[in-house]
Amino acid sequence: MNPSALRRRADRPGPGADRCRYSTGADDRAWLAGVLAAVGVPYRVERPAELARATRDLAARDGAASARRP
């Protein structure tokens, strides 16, 4: 996925000047969670619940991987 695909196009009405809606048919929710995180912009998962769960799982793994160890 190209990050420019997430940009709101000026010639199309959208949900707001600072937001966009991204729809996909990707089947692998864990892969999609990683791709969305890699884009580097804030986002919110509205649905499906499986993608929200995969996003939380990814955040937990990333947090554990970056935790400071004594």
Side-chain angles (χ1 to χ4, degrees):
M1 175 180 64
N2 184 335
S4 65
L6 297 179
R7 292 190 192 124
R8 181 180 172 276
R9 290 188 45 178
D11 60 337
R12 294 185 186 173
D18 61 341
R19 295 180 276 171
C20 72
R21 183 173 303 260
Y22 176 70
S23 299
T24 182
D27 293 330
D28 187 335
R29 305 297 192 226
W31 173 84
L32 183 55
V35 169
L36 289 171
V39 171
V41 297
Y43 64 97
R44 180 181 66 217
V45 176
E46 294 180 354
R47 63 179 182 263
E50 296 86 0
L51 178 56
R53 190 171 25 261
T55 301
R56 286 190 301 272
D57 292 347
L58 176 62
R61 284 193 310 273
D62 286 351
S66 63
R68 292 185 180 212
R69 309 261 191 246

